[in-house]
């Protein structure tokens, strides 16, 4: 599949220089954020790369990958809510 990830303007300058995949497509959005479309086969691997950016990254598409990210973040949060 192909994932669409949007990074904050703050992270944009680093992400724009990062090599994720040979077929990646990145573009700067008008508001300063950076949109990256990247092919992936192993969702776990991609999720780890994206979650590493914390609040500076949001998986927009596909919905299933977005849900996986949400679940991982909720699980992580639950460790701190005891």
């Amino acid at each position: 599949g192909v994932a669409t990830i949007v990074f904050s303007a703050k992270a944009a300058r680093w992400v724009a220089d990062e090599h994720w995949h040979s077929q990646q497509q990145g573009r700067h959005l008008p508001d300063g954020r950076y949109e990256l479309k990247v092919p992936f086969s192993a969702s776990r691997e991609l999720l780890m790369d994206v979650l590493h950016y914390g609040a500076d990254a949001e998986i927009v598409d596909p919905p299933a990958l977005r849900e996986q990210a949400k679940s991982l973040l909720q699980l992580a949060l639950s460790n701190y809510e005891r």
Side-chain angles (χ1 to χ4, degrees):
V2 176
T4 303
I5 309 148
V6 174
F7 295 88
S8 70
K10 191 175 77 177
R13 57 171 175 244
W14 290 292
V15 180
D17 293 334
E18 266 193 37
H19 180 79
W20 295 60
H21 191 280
S22 59
Q23 264 102 57
Q24 71 187 38
Q25 290 178 300
R27 66 186 182 113
H28 288 276
L29 300 176
D31 61 6
R33 292 181 305 160
Y34 189 76
E35 180 191 79
L36 182 67
K37 286 183 188 288
V38 61
F40 71 99
S41 46
S43 60
R44 182 92 191 160
E45 201 177 308
L46 181 64
L47 284 166
M48 288 299 127
D49 288 342
V50 174
L51 294 179
H52 160 83
Y53 280 92
D56 286 312
E58 179 192 352
I59 294 170
V60 180
D61 216 49
L65 191 68
R66 185 180 167 92
E67 281 304 309
Q68 274 182 279
K70 196 172 161 184
S71 298
L72 282 172
L73 288 166
Q74 283 169 337
L75 280 170
L77 187 61
S78 71
N79 289 341
Y80 292 92
E81 289 181 329
R82 289 199 285 272

